[in-house]
Amino acid sequence: ILKPFRNERLLFLYMGKTLVVKGSKKLLNAWAFYDWANSVYSLVISSAVFPIFYGALFRVAGIEKVTVFGGEIARAPLISYTTSLAFVFIAIITPLISGIADYLGNKKMFMKFFCYLGGLSCIGLNWFSLDNIYFGLLCYFLALVGFWVSFAINNSYLPDVAFPKQQDAISAKGFSLGYIGSVILLIFNLAMVMQPDFFGITTDETGAAEIKAMKYSFITVGIWWVLFAQYSFYYLPKGYKKVGKRTNIILNGFKELKLVWLQLGNQIILKRYLGAFFVYSMAVQTVMLIAAYFGEEEIAWGTDSERTMGLIISILVIQLVAIFGATVTAKASEKYGNIKTLIVVNALWVGICIYAYFVITPIDFYIAAGCVGLVMGGIQALSRSTYSKFLPETKDTTSFFSFYDVAEKIGIIIGTLLYGIVAQLTGSMRSSIIFLGLFFLIGMFLLLRVKESKKPLL
């Protein structure tokens, strides 16, 4: 039986005969390890294998458009609009989950549910095909929902398990673990794709060996995600039931968001930071979601095999450099402060977007991938820990991180939707990249209005 006890400084978690203390290495590692479990989705599904697989389906069929819900739509806008719709759903459901979790005092139960939903949906992508497009898009949709909602709940644990002085380092460690774990699985998946015969995967009437290997990789993602998440689930606390009577459990999450918004009126620094985060995160997440699709469509790779290998190399470059980038950013924040570091990182993103507009050759794309990796992990980890540091003293971390998550998801909805519209109107994804660069520029100037938190580090 899990029994949480709190005082002003410590959090004790009794788990049978095991005692876990807030800030302890065991609890921090368990929290960070969820990044190891679920980051395989963001790499293999969002960034690497699925974009290659998705493009290959259209090329093999010899088409660029597909009929969906009575209308023809090109492949790039189709996946962009599906992504936007998924984030609309995520933005709506996250506050609902937050309210119910507060009432039950068991947010871990919801974290498990969305973890398992995401993992099973990844396995369902094994049956993605143009003939079965609706089922395939549904699995893509639900996997996206499972990843982001469970990730948001895990984020809300950060101030519960770590003291402010530990949060930058453990947040960066989480992202680093995610990059390492996802690269390990990606290498295995890519071995299947590049050498399917070695794994007993052959071309037959059901499809080409390489396509079948990509589908099998989706199954490995689901298994990896669910399996390794068990370590985090074992040590993380259930959550904390909010004191007081509530009459509307279902809509309470939205009421909590309203209360958080009202509290922001007295938290000027936090409010300004959230405004800046909303703008630049819109661009960060959109770039991460469409980078592989951009490379697959806009770069002059030559042959199909060169395209596949080139994208694989670029994704690996991003992941490996991101491990270094997350660590360096955490060190820079210790020396120069979180806000100054985020301003510099946003400036680097502006430069990357301008450079990406002129990228044509594979070598150009590899250079861009290395630059993206350097700033990608750092801006995510530092944004999460900076928000946690700026929070007022509260036990209601779920509602505050729900607000953070909703702000991020609304930004992604806008970003991916605008990206799809610009790409569809111009017929090129390059114009969309420049458009995203403007958001980094605005975010950088908004961060100049944010002062470092004066709250003492515990």
Side-chain angles (χ1 to χ4, degrees), residues 87-302:
F87 280 113
V88 169
F89 182 77
I90 293 166
I92 293 172
I93 198 173
T94 301
L96 296 175
I97 298 302
S98 174
I100 299 172
D102 278 344
Y103 176 77
L104 297 176
N106 193 350
K107 62 184 176 183
K108 183 163 70 170
M109 176 181 68
F110 291 99
M111 184 175 169
K112 285 183 176 182
F113 173 80
F114 285 99
C115 167
Y116 300 151
L117 174 67
L120 292 174
S121 297
C122 289
I123 294 173
L125 288 173
N126 177 63
W127 292 276
F128 192 113
S129 69
L130 295 183
D131 294 331
N132 204 15
I133 190 69
Y134 294 111
F135 176 79
L137 290 175
L138 177 64
C139 287
Y140 174 84
F141 179 97
L142 292 178
L144 196 63
V145 170
F147 172 79
W148 282 103
V149 176
S150 66
F151 184 65
I153 297 172
N154 190 56
N155 281 346
S156 74
Y157 274 107
L158 180 56
D160 294 338
V161 302
F163 292 111
K165 67 180 180 181
Q166 299 172 311
Q167 290 169 7
D168 286 344
I170 196 60
S171 183
K173 182 176 183 178
F175 278 102
S176 295
L177 281 173
Y179 296 136
I180 295 170
S182 55
V183 165
I184 291 173
L185 184 61
L186 179 61
I187 290 174
F188 174 75
N189 292 151
L190 296 180
M192 288 198 302
V193 174
M194 303 308 296
Q195 298 293 332
D197 291 341
F198 179 81
F199 294 89
I201 306 172
T202 59
T203 300
D204 55 28
E205 65 278 359
T206 62
E210 292 79 6
I211 299 294
K212 290 165 65 177
M214 292 180 193
K215 290 183 176 183
Y216 294 156
S217 71
F218 304 149
I219 296 176
T220 65
V221 168
I223 295 173
W224 176 292
W225 185 355
V226 172
L227 180 64
F228 284 111
Q230 301 310 309
Y231 177 73
S232 298
F233 293 152
Y234 181 77
Y235 285 106
L236 288 176
K238 290 171 59 178
Y240 305 100
K241 188 172 183 178
K242 199 168 183 181
V243 178
K245 184 178 180 181
R246 279 154 296 167
T247 56
N248 197 329
I249 300 169
I250 301 299
L251 298 180
N252 188 64
F254 291 100
K255 292 181 179 179
E256 293 293 333
L257 290 184
K258 183 179 179 180
L259 290 175
V260 170
W261 174 255
L262 292 175
Q263 289 183 62
L264 290 178
N266 299 320
Q267 302 287 332
I268 303 300
I269 295 177
L270 179 59
K271 189 173 183 178
R272 288 179 176 177
Y273 172 71
L274 272 173
F277 169 77
F278 175 79
V279 173
Y280 73 72
S281 179
M282 179 192 310
V284 171
Q285 298 298 338
T286 303
V287 168
M288 290 175 61
L289 288 167
I290 56 83
Y293 298 99
F294 176 88
E296 200 272 341
E297 189 169 314
E298 295 290 339
I299 306 303
W301 296 108

Side-chain angles (χ1 to χ4, degrees), residues 323-334:
I323 299 171
F324 172 74
T327 303
V328 169
T329 304
K331 295 293 183 182
S333 68
E334 290 180 6

